[in-house]
């Protein structure tokens, strides 16, 4: 399998190159030269396949010859070694819980796969790779945990001081070893701007091999297909019609992975992309015109994105044909008041506690089903305990810390406080 740059001004590369470099030299996103279809044998065996078998079959098509089969099997098995329960909330709606991994959010899957790929590609290399990542909360924790102890890779995480939740901060700052947290006196946008500038800085790139760990990277984006397969396999044990799937979306990497799975043959009736007040994509669906905006802050802050990087990949899958896109996907915006009301309403009616991102998706899915009929599930992308300020206020009680996360509170935060200034960060990076 080869990958081309969506800017079409860079040479085609294999999976290994795309994973190590993240973005193409022409600043385009890499995209597979074709969307591989899974074989009839695969679909005949699908109902009884294990997660590991599904994971290997799906990823093999994208990884190609870049990783030998036995190594890929190990990487897949380590990536998905936790549960992906599909929990029924009410008559027509289930929740695909993606928060049973080590950092309680779906980004664990992509981060674990990518870190293990880079670990494999870096074996025996003299130079270290530095993964530089800006986070509004969940990405940093998943990346830190995924890359902890991976030889030949250093991780530097920039996070906005005082703007992540207590659990998120502990996940970022207590790893030690090859993980460093830079606590930036500024906003998430400041962190992201510094990271972008670092990738462009010739001087810095002469001294360090820098790569990104967000969903631009194919090694983080593509394995997110796997839980769509796991969920649909479970779905057909209960229902005989394909599900409607609703994905709370920010950078659109997660939903775009689901669409790739559907293009490979996975039965999905319809996708709903649920957004918060950052509604540039819902506006595109309403009008056919796409215009990026400045991000606005909401209570579902992992989706506060004004110009989603993966939207170009969705356009590419459908040759930018508006009618084909809108046939398979709908997109709506849900504001903060409605999100809170949804958390409250669902909790009091069913006892199920949604996090703000899952609540945006619940509302979008329930509106879609009320209008069009059918059954479906939403992707519950994070555990509600990661957003205690909002959720505990709305439901009026504390959310217990999951057993697996309690150890975090015994650890000591270690961060380097730094001003929101590229030169300061550059100086710090070069001094390491
Ligand atoms: C990152 C994140 C999202 C958005 O995912 P995208 O792939 O950027 O669309 C949604 N929910 C949570 C909890 C997240 O951490």
């Amino acid at each position: 399998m080869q990958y081309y740059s969506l800017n079409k001004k860079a040479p085609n590369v294999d999976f290994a190159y795309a994973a190590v470099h993240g973005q193409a030299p022409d600043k385009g996103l890499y995209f597979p030269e074709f969307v591989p279809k899974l074989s009839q044998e695969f679909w005949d065996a699908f109902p009884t396949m294990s997660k590991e078998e599904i994971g290997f079959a799906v990823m093999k098509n994208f990884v190609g010859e870049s990783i030998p089969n036995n190594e890929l099997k190990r990487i897949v098995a380590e990536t998905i070694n936790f549960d992906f329960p599909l929990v029924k909330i009410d008559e027509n709606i289930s929740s695909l819980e993606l928060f049973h991994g080590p950092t309680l959010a779906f980004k664990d899957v992509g981060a674990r796969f990518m870190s293990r790929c880079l670990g494999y590609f870096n074996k025996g290399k003299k130079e270290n790779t530095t993964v530089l990542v800006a986070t509004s909360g969940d990405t940093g924790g998943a990346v830190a945990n995924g890359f902890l102890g991976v030889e030949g890779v250093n991780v530097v995480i920039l996070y906005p001081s005082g703007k992540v939740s207590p659990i998120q901060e502990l996940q970022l700052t207590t790893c030690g070893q090859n993980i460093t947290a830079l606590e930036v006196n500024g906003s998430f946008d400041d962190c992201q701007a510094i990271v972008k500038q670092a990738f462009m800085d010739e001087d810095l790139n002469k001294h360090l091999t820098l790569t990104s760990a967000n969903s631009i990277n194919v090694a983080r984006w593509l394995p997110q297909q796997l839980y769509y397969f796991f969920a649909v396999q479970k779905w057909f044990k209960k229902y005989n019609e394909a599900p409607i799937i609703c994905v709370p979306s920010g950078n659109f990497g997660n939903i775009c992975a689901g669409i790739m799975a559907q293009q490979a043959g996975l039965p999905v009736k319809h996708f709903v992309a649920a957004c918060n007040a950052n509604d540039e994509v819902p506006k595109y669906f309403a009008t056919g015109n796409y215009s990026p905006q400045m991000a606005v802050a909401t209570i579902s802050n992992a989706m506060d994105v004004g110009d989603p990087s993966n939207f170009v990949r969705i356009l590419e899958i459908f040759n930018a044909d508006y009618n084909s896109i809108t046939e398979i996907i709908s997109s709506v915006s849900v504001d903060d008041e409605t999100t809170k009301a949804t958390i409250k309403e669902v909790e009091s009616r069913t006892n199920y506690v949604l996090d703000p991102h899952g609540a945006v998706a619940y509302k979008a899915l329930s509106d879609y089903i009320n209008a069009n009929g059918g059954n479906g599930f939403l992707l519950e992308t994070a555990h509600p305990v990661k957003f205690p300020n909002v959720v505990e206020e709305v439901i009026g009680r504390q959310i217990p810390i999951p057993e697996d996360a309690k150890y975090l509170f015994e650890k000591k935060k270690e961060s380097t406080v730094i001003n929101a200034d590229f030169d300061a960060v550059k100086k710090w990076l070069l001094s390491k």
Side-chain angles (χ1 to χ4, degrees), residues 105-107 137-139 168 215 220 224 247-255 302-303 305 310 355 357-358 380-383 387:
F106 81 98
K107 291 190 171 81
D138 285 337
T139 302
Q168 287 177 326
S215 52
R220 218 196 98 183
Q224 299 179 146
V247 187
S249 295
N251 247 331
F252 279 70
N254 202 7
I255 192 167
M303 314 194 317
V305 181
N310 286 288
D355 97 292
H357 307 79
E380 180 43 294
T381 44
H383 194 292
F387 306 95

Side-chain angles (χ1 to χ4, degrees), residues 54-131:
I54 294 171
F56 174 74
V58 171
M59 292 316 295
K60 177 70 194 166
N61 283 340
F62 290 95
V63 169
E65 302 306 311
S66 286
I67 301 176
N69 288 352
N70 59 335
E71 284 290 318
L72 182 59
K73 280 183 186 160
R74 173 188 63 80
I75 292 172
V76 166
E78 290 176 10
T79 299
I80 54 166
N81 68 349
F82 47 86
D83 289 339
F84 298 84
L86 187 63
V87 177
K88 197 164 175 189
I89 302 183
D90 54 27
E91 195 44 36
N92 301 315
I93 297 183
S94 298
S95 166
L96 174 61
E97 295 184 348
L98 299 178
F99 55 71
H100 294 270
T103 73
L104 313 177
F106 81 98
K107 291 190 171 81
D108 279 327
V109 172
R112 289 166 79 74
F113 189 84
M114 180 185 164
S115 59
R116 283 158 179 78
C117 289
L118 285 199
Y120 174 78
F121 296 138
N122 260 311
K123 233 179 253 166
K125 286 218 180 113
K126 273 198 238 74
E127 273 165 51
N128 280 4
T129 299
T130 302
V131 172

Side-chain angles (χ1 to χ4, degrees), residues 220-264:
R220 218 196 98 183
W221 168 52
L222 292 169
Q224 299 179 146
Q225 293 173 90
L226 299 184
Y227 39 73
Y228 290 90
F229 283 85
F230 306 158
V232 170
Q233 186 196 44
K234 289 186 182 137
W235 180 264
F236 277 105
K237 296 198 164 93
K238 284 200 201 143
Y239 303 91
N240 43 33
E241 195 190 21
I244 300 158
I245 301 182
C246 182
V247 187
S249 295
N251 247 331
F252 279 70
N254 202 7
I255 192 167
C256 189
I259 297 164
M260 293 294 277
Q262 189 208 33
Q263 300 291 307

Side-chain angles (χ1 to χ4, degrees), residues 190-219:
D190 293 330
C191 298
Q192 196 157 39
I194 293 171
V195 168
K196 281 196 178 148
Q197 205 175 339
F199 289 124
M200 313 262 259
D201 190 88
E202 272 183 40
D203 191 30
L204 202 50
N205 285 278
K206 242 185 256 158
H207 291 89
L208 295 172
T209 309
L210 289 179
T211 193
S212 69
N214 57 25
S215 52
I216 283 178
N217 194 304
V218 293

